[in-house]
Each structure stands twice: as C-alpha cells, then as structure tokens.
Amino acid sequence: MTTASTAHFDSAARDWDQRPLSQQLAALPPLVLARLPLAATDQVLDFGAGTGLLATAIAPHVAQVTALDMSAAMLQVLDAKGFANIVTRQGDIFDGLPGRYHAIVSCMALHHVADTAALLRTFAAALHPGGRIALVDLYAEDGSFHGDNAAKGVQHFGFAPAALQALAQAAGLTDIGCSDILRLRHRNGRDYPLFLLTGRKP
Ligand SMILES: C[S@@+](CC[C@H](N)C(=O)[O-])C[C@H]1O[C@@H](n2cnc3c(N)ncnc32)[C@H](O)[C@@H]1O
C-alpha cells in the first residue's frame, strides 16, 4: 500500500464510522458471525481492521482479537472504543504477524493489497491447523466504487470469486466457499455486492 493511501485512511479515520457506507456495513458482522464457527478460547486476526467493524463484533465471542492496520489514526479510533480483548497493531501485514490464529477475518481490505496470492499465503501460514478465513470484499466492479482509486490505494476493482478461490486453494486452504453476503447502495446510485470468502487450513 502506498503512503498516499495510508494518508487517506489517517485523514478519514475520525469520521469513518459515520460514513453512509460504514453505516450500511454495520449489518455485516452478524452475517459473518453466522458463517464463522468461533470458540471462546480463539485468537482472531482482523486484517485491515480500521475502526474495528469486525473486531468489535467478534471480540465478545473469543479470547482475543488482534486488529492489524497500516493506519495509526484508524486504530486510535478503535482503541478509544475500550475493548479489553482487542489488541491493536499498526503495520503492514507483509512485515510479519505476531502470532498464530484460529480465524482471520477482513472487510474491504483485500482490494488494497496488490499481491493477493501472497496475502492468502500469509493468511494460511498464520492459521493454526483447522483455522479459518472469512474475508469480505467487493465483487469485480468497474472502478466506480472508490472513484479516486489511486489516492485511496485501490489495487483491485473487486474480485472474481473463482480467481480468489483458486488462490486460496493454491495457498493450501481447503473447504473453500464464496457466497453473497451484503449489497451496498452507493451515493452514486449504484449497488455493489459483497462476497464472503471462507476456507479452512487442513
Ligand atoms: C477500506 S478500509 C476497511 C476498514 C474496516 N475493515 C472496515 O470495513 O470499516 C481498509 C483498511 O485496510 C488497511 N490496510 C490496507 N492494506 C494493508 C496492509 N498491507 N496491512 C495492514 N493494513 C492494511 C488500511 O489502512 C485501511 O484501514
């Protein structure tokens, strides 16, 4: 991710949760929780956690959530929410992860990473055996979702599920599935569907 896009998220952080899109995304966590088996002893990673859309919903159900993000300002907003079992960590996922996880979740962060294959390999390596991914992002779109794609660090205009599933399989994951999870109504008047990619480390 570029410095410019980190600057974008830093400057957007304070009002992030009030954005119309964030308010629509508030419907997402229960849908993810319904499709992700979790245990009270689990360690979970939220990749590109931002202000904690997923992390704050998952934290009450598990031992600890590590919220990883490049943007210090996004994580400051999350820290201020005061969850005792959410640990925020600023940094790039490719600089290394502090632990191993029973689940790795993410919402709207995959499209900011150029090398999706390497990202899925990183996720697979960081999972305990039996650990799961639950990743939400945009289906392939025409670049109109973000508008200013370069300034926002957009590396992919969404994803074709079959291509992502193949990358997850190549990363060594199994039980891979991809399904519709939510539709976002953008202020440009268009709808953008989101998928949930799931998989398990053997
Ligand atoms: C569109 S925001 C989504 C935030 C939150 N998950 C949500 O849905 O509200 C994407 C986030 O991913 C983070 N991000 C992108 N690439 C990253 C990387 N390589 N390592 C860590 N965080 C990254 C950005 O800083 C940003 O906060």
Side-chain angles (χ1 to χ4, degrees):
M1 194 168 72
T2 64
T3 306
S5 65
T6 305
H8 160 70
F9 288 115
D10 281 347
S11 66
R14 197 187 58 179
D15 299 322
W16 188 260
D17 292 347
Q18 284 72 50
R19 298 177 319 149
L21 286 174
S22 292
Q23 301 203 342
Q24 292 179 57
L25 281 167
L28 184 72
L31 303 174
V32 173
L33 281 166
R35 302 190 204 179
L36 177 63
L38 292 169
T41 52
D42 279 355
Q43 299 283 332
V44 177
L45 175 72
D46 183 357
F47 165 65
T51 59
L53 173 77
L54 290 177
T56 55
I58 289 171
H61 302 282
V62 301
Q64 183 170 284
V65 180
T66 299
L68 176 75
D69 205 287
M70 301 271 286
S71 165
M74 292 287 248
L75 294 178
Q76 279 165 15
V77 174
L78 174 51
D79 279 331
K81 294 178 182 175
F83 281 73
N85 67 336
I86 297 179
V87 177
T88 56
R89 184 179 173 96
Q90 186 197 356
D92 188 322
I93 189 158
F94 293 119
D95 290 342
L97 287 168
R100 284 199 157 208
Y101 306 95
H102 301 95
I104 298 177
V105 301
S106 184
C107 175
M108 301 293 274
L110 266 59
H111 62 254
H112 292 288
V113 177
D115 192 342
T116 314
L119 183 64
L120 286 164
R121 286 195 300 271
T122 300
F123 288 163
L127 285 171
H128 289 292
R132 295 171 189 271
I133 55 166
L135 312 174
V136 175
D137 214 297
L138 291 158
Y139 282 105
E141 47 102 14
D142 60 2
S144 57
F145 181 83
H146 294 87
D148 194 351
N149 290 294
K152 293 177 179 170
V154 175
Q155 304 290 336
H156 303 273
F157 296 167
F159 297 94
L164 265 190
Q165 288 177 264
L167 293 180
Q169 189 173 16
L173 300 176
T174 188
D175 295 344
I176 299 157
C178 195
S179 54
D180 299 352
I181 191 155
L182 191 70
R183 293 182 83 82
L184 295 176
R185 167 54 60 94
H186 201 282
R187 63 169 178 255
N188 66 13
R190 294 172 59 176
D191 280 359
Y192 294 83
L194 306 181
F195 62 80
L196 173 69
L197 178 74
T198 52
R200 189 174 61 82
K201 182 168 176 168

